[in-house]
Amino acid sequence: MSHSPHVAAGRVAGARDPHELTDWIRGFADAGTFSPLRHVRTLPARDGEQIALPDWVEPSLMAALAQRGVTRLWSHQALAAEEIRQCRNTAIATGTASGKSLGYLLPGLTSVIEGTRAPNGRGATMLYVAPTKALAADQAAHIEALQLPGVRCATYDGDTPPDERRWIRDHANVVLTNPDLVHHSLLPGHARWASFLRALRLVVIDESHAYRGVFGSNVALVLRRLRRVLARYRADPVFVFASATAGEPGTHARALAGLPVTEITQDGSPRGAVTFALWEPRPNAGEDGAPRRPAAGTEAARLLAALVAAQIQTLTFARSRAGVEAVASAANRHLQALGSSERVAAYRGGYLPEERRALEAALRTGELRGLAATNALELGIDIQGLDAVVMAGWPGRLSSLWQQAGRAGRGGQASLAVLIGADDPLDAYLMEHPELIFEAPIEATVIHPDNPRLLARHLLAAAHELPVTVADTALFGPGMLPALAGLEAAGAVRRRPTGWFWPHDGRPEGIGSLRTAGEVLAIVEEASGRVVGTIDDASADHHVHPGAVHVHQGRSFVVTDLDRAAATATVVPGDPGWSTIAQSRSEFDLATPDAVQLAAAVTVCRGAVTVRTQVVSFTRRLPGGEVLGRHPLELPERTFTTEGLWWHLPEAVLHASGLSGPRIAGSVHAAEHAAIGMLSLFATCDRWDIGGVSSAAHPATGEPTILIYDGYPGGAGYAARGFEVLPAWLAATRELIAGCPCERGCPRCVVSPKCGNGNEPLDKEGAGIVLGVIGAALAAAT
């Protein structure tokens, strides 16, 4: 029985037996001198719990589902449908491919079809919001395939032509979009959407676990603005939040919309057995005879090629855009060496829409048997039928791990999931502690809608949409009035007796992207003017500076110019034979902390931090890692204020523990690196979301100091979470360092891939001493 209105075509291979997949991965691992398998666990199959379709489902919808074999519901679908039908806001958080969409489509489409019989007016409407355009288009295809009478379904995104937009506003009753278009188009132009908004009965926020950090905080503020505009049209729709398995999904949904929400987490769908392997690459002899540990991406490419050659359709996730391109290229070289005619492709953000959709279609039909992707394919696009998923490095959070692993085995078939440990502190720790993967609860999602910088931006937008009143404090929180006072003093808004108004012509400037703290730059080919891809402004200095090597769909380009005024990076095609890595320097100013913990001689603070960073050079490296040279760059310094967590202690305390003065700088630096790598275990972030600095004597404290900060202007809640869990976080960090077999430090413990100082100086032993002293002080204070 299918619980998706769309049935994927053309599976490459028949359903796999779990024993077959387990034997395959063990056999592949044992082919070398040392097996890289650290742990193998079979997650048993689960039976589903079925319930009859409710009587209130509209007959034409019930008939369309019956034609696709859907005559009964899984228990969570039935419960969700009933809650929504009773007009209760609902959060559905069940596993990948558990059929969450049917839980909200039944009441949503039933209301829409019933509304078409109304004698006057538009009838009921439904708004579906997904984090990606691809996911909205995929859901639209499912709805259109039902061919329901009276349902006028349309996607509304950045690719929609102007004439189609007018038709959608005036006639569509099911609109599928993304939060960016709600922010940039629907809300500023709400008067043109008046008939649609007046009739709105259901708002679906799909893949709601994806709304975290800065993106999630922005979306939370967009939803508050949407509620204001809906109140203007006297609409009070039901809000539904669909999420993969997540910690506290109801709490997260309430934080996103500021509404009471019913939580549904008991998954009633069947699940095939999953063979889950933890894989740690073993050192091989390098060209000079010295043992070298393969990178996670290198190992993932080897495994991907072998799986594809064995007719096992496989999706491989890599952490970065460059990593995806490298994995796909290396896998194709392996396949060629194996004599296989199969090929794999890369899939990542920055591709043009037509490129992404062609790849999605090829994966669905089985024409493409292997794909390397970023987490752009982590979300619920319908690519059912995969046999295996390979993850090149810890994806940053348990919710992402299970979402990625769940991309295989859809339809109740057995599947294989492999997590390849990267040279990274957290990856190394998890390889030693599989219980933290298989037995730990899913972490809660962190958002920070009170971020003052973000709040001010959205209040400007809200004032442009409708006057902001004191009553809106219930939506925007206690920070609203101080933020409005600042905007009023700057002349951005004007206060009148009825509220705060936008007093200028045109729209507010500087609202920017919901997904980053800055804008998006186009990567343009110099000769043709063709847009090769895009990159966010915050990443541009590191990845598309002059001289950088940029890879797109396996093709290499060299950046010749970075023009921020024009929001473009200009490239020329060609592979110079090396890669590039940017180096930066950072300086920090600490404000008066807003929270302090005193533990013996250790002082722990949380508060505002001003960060000044500048990319100052880049190195060229050959594929084997040899450095060809370092080249200076003249790029502007970037300054932003964010939230940070820092702790400091007297130098004399470290001396008493056996740490001499000359070793302190390297010790606190190594402890900072390891702590950054381990924070993801306690907060929904990865090391690229956060930054850090250490000093043997920071000017603001006069003592050895370690600072961890959110890598986004205004903060994202990560440092605040670290402040709450500091003892457990630092204890795990110390255990990681003590358990690492290296002598002087390595990427598994204290060496950081993002260090702007080239990982100098580092003192692994001293880091353990520093963390031991701090941990003892914190334990004594509790």
Side-chain angles (χ1 to χ4, degrees):
M1 178 173 61
S2 169
H3 280 267
S4 168
H6 173 76
V7 179
R11 283 228 37 239
V12 171
R16 299 281 179 174
D17 182 275
H19 299 293
E20 175 191 354
L21 293 170
T22 302
D23 291 345
W24 190 95
I25 194 66
R26 288 191 182 278
F28 185 76
D30 292 341
T33 306
F34 301 102
S35 174
L37 278 180
R38 298 300 304 276
H39 186 84
V40 178
R41 184 171 299 199
T42 299
L43 307 179
R46 178 186 66 212
D47 293 331
E49 180 183 354
Q50 295 182 323
I51 294 176
L53 282 163
D55 294 338
W56 50 257
V57 175
E58 208 282 331
S60 63
L61 174 56
M62 191 175 290
L65 293 173
Q67 288 181 351
R68 287 155 179 79
V70 181
T71 57
R72 295 174 68 82
L73 301 177
W74 305 126
S75 57
H76 66 276
Q77 294 173 323
L79 179 57
E82 198 60 46
E83 289 290 315
I84 297 165
R85 182 68 173 180
Q86 297 301 320
C87 298
R88 288 189 280 267
N89 304 313
T90 305
I92 318 167
T94 54
T96 308
S98 60
K100 291 181 287 289
S101 61
L102 200 54
Y104 57 74
L105 286 178
L106 285 176
L109 294 177
T110 292
S111 293
V112 168
I113 298 170
E114 290 172 344
T116 62
R117 304 190 188 106
N120 298 304
R122 181 98 169 241
T125 61
M126 172 180 164
L127 178 67
Y128 169 94
V129 181
T132 66
K133 291 188 288 187
L135 187 55
D138 192 65
Q139 189 71 242
H142 291 177
I143 296 172
E144 289 168 353
L146 293 171
Q147 298 182 329
L148 297 170
V151 173
R152 299 180 297 277
C153 173
T155 55
Y156 188 92
D157 58 32
D159 301 328
T160 307
D163 56 336
E164 289 186 25
R165 293 189 179 202
R166 286 191 293 271
W167 183 91
I168 291 169
R169 289 193 299 264
D170 293 340
H171 302 289
N173 48 25
V174 178
V175 173
L176 303 101
T177 186
N178 53 66
D180 312 82
L181 264 292
V182 176
H183 166 59
H184 286 295
S185 182
L186 189 153
L187 289 174
H190 63 82
R192 291 175 293 175
W193 286 86
S195 66
F196 179 89
L197 295 174
R198 285 193 187 98
L200 192 58
R201 299 293 181 269
L202 183 67
V203 178
V204 176
I205 310 299
D206 203 2
E207 303 290 357
S208 60
H209 63 283
Y211 301 119
R212 60 180 182 84
V214 168
F215 183 32
S217 302
N218 271 318
V219 171
L221 290 164
V222 168
L223 292 180
R224 284 155 174 76
R225 287 164 46 205
L226 176 62
R227 289 177 56 203
R228 289 178 73 240
V229 169
L230 288 172
R232 162 70 174 78
Y233 294 101
R234 299 183 180 179
D236 186 20
V238 176
F239 279 76
V240 177
F241 302 83
S243 170
T245 303
E248 303 177 8
T251 300
H252 180 52
R254 286 188 284 274
L256 278 172
L259 290 166
V261 174
T262 299
E263 179 180 282
I264 297 173
T265 59
Q266 189 65 41
D267 194 335
S269 65
R271 184 188 67 188
V274 182
T275 298
F276 206 119
L278 303 187
W279 183 290
E280 187 166 29
R282 295 303 189 187
N284 299 318
E287 294 180 2
D288 57 0
R292 289 199 179 120
R293 183 186 189 275
T298 301
E299 196 79 340
R302 186 172 72 93
L303 186 55
L304 172 61
L307 285 161
V308 169
Q311 303 295 296
I312 299 173
Q313 193 179 25
T314 304
L315 173 62
T316 294
F317 286 100
R319 289 177 171 178
S320 68
R321 295 179 174 188
V324 163
E325 298 283 359
V327 167
S329 297
N332 281 321
R333 290 194 296 271
H334 285 302
L335 284 166
Q336 188 174 15
L338 291 170
S340 173
S341 61
E342 299 291 346
R343 289 293 176 266
V344 303
Y347 182 107
R348 60 173 176 79
Y351 280 10
L352 301 178
E354 55 271 23
E355 294 175 318
R356 293 196 302 270
R357 288 167 188 166
L359 289 169
E360 292 158 15
L363 196 64
R364 287 191 193 103
T365 62
E367 176 187 349
L368 186 63
R369 302 195 183 190
L371 191 69
T374 60
N375 60 3
L377 263 187
E378 179 181 311
L379 303 178
I381 297 169
D382 184 4
I383 50 172
Q384 57 187 324
L386 298 179
D387 296 306
V389 166
V390 176
M391 293 162 277
W394 173 248
R397 55 205 63 84
L398 274 172
S399 59
S400 291
L401 179 89
W402 293 114
Q403 182 79 350
Q404 291 183 5
R407 301 307 278 151
R410 298 170 78 93
Q413 69 204 45
S415 63
L416 171 67
V418 183
L419 172 62
I420 299 177
D423 259 354
D424 180 274
L426 184 53
D427 289 52
Y429 191 79
L430 291 168
M431 291 290 140
E432 298 287 344
H433 296 274
E435 71 278 4
L436 295 177
I437 292 175
F438 299 106
E439 298 162 24
I442 303 295
E443 62 272 276
T445 303
V446 176
I447 62 171
H448 186 32
D450 296 329
N451 179 316
R453 183 176 186 271
L454 301 183
L455 179 60
R457 290 167 53 186
H458 285 274
L459 286 173
L460 277 179
H464 172 254
E465 292 152 8
L466 293 170
V468 178
T469 68
V470 173
D472 290 327
T473 305
L475 285 171
F476 294 112
M480 185 190 84
L481 294 179
L484 286 171
L487 293 171
E488 184 181 5
V493 297
R494 185 175 300 161
R495 187 175 187 182
R496 295 177 182 167
T498 52
W500 287 264
F501 290 73
W502 171 251
H504 310 287
D505 294 331
R507 297 182 181 182
E509 296 182 359
I511 298 299
S513 168
L514 297 181
R515 298 169 190 265
T516 67
E519 300 301 322
V520 175
L521 281 70
I523 302 171
V524 179
E525 192 174 35
E526 185 175 272
S528 65
R530 179 176 69 93
V531 176
V532 173
T534 59
I535 190 168
D536 61 274
D537 178 73
S539 302
D541 285 356
H542 283 84
H543 299 293
V544 291
H545 56 76
V549 177
H550 174 76
V551 182
H552 183 91
Q553 284 202 331
R555 295 186 62 202
S556 293
F557 298 83
V558 177
V559 180
T560 59
D561 182 55
L562 175 60
D563 186 343
R564 293 197 172 279
T568 58
T570 304
V571 299
V572 295
D575 184 357
W578 60 75
S579 61
T580 54
I581 301 175
Q583 283 81 41
S584 62
R585 63 170 179 81
S586 301
E587 296 178 353
F588 307 84
D589 299 324
L590 306 178
T592 301
D594 52 34
V596 177
Q597 298 177 20
L598 299 176
V602 177
T603 304
V604 184
C605 304
R606 184 192 71 207
V609 180
T610 299
V611 183
R612 300 191 301 278
T613 63
Q614 185 177 21
V615 174
V616 295
S617 64
F618 71 96
T619 57
R620 293 182 296 133
R621 292 180 183 269
L622 292 173
E626 298 88 344
V627 175
L628 293 177
R630 176 173 291 186
H631 307 274
L633 289 168
E634 295 184 2
L635 295 173
E637 182 180 78
R638 293 175 165 274
T639 301
F640 65 93
T641 298
T642 184
E643 288 186 337
L645 156 71
W646 63 96
W647 55 93
H648 55 92
L649 69 168
E651 186 174 324
V653 173
L654 296 177
H655 288 170
S657 300
L659 199 60
S660 62
R663 295 180 61 193
I664 290 177
S667 300
V668 295
H669 190 196
E672 170 223 326
H673 281 185
I676 288 174
M678 289 297 290
L679 183 55
S680 298
L681 193 61
F682 300 90
T684 51
C685 64
D686 57 41
R687 72 186 309 154
W688 303 98
D689 291 325
I690 51 181
V693 69
S694 57
S695 173
H698 193 278
T701 66
E703 295 180 339
T705 303
I706 296 174
L707 163 70
I708 310 293
Y709 64 90
D710 296 347
Y712 301 98
Y718 306 135
R721 176 63 178 163
F723 184 80
E724 296 171 0
V725 299
L726 186 65
W729 168 28
L730 296 189
T733 304
R734 186 186 181 202
E735 181 184 346
L736 165 81
I737 293 174
C740 187
C742 72
E743 292 184 10
R744 308 187 65 170
C746 69
R748 297 177 77 249
C749 56
V750 300
V751 173
S752 170
K754 53 181 287 192
C755 180
N757 295 318
N759 286 292
E760 291 291 340
L762 290 178
D763 187 327
K764 175 189 174 183
E765 180 187 22
I769 295 173
V770 170
L771 292 169
V773 170
I774 296 171
L778 293 172
T782 56

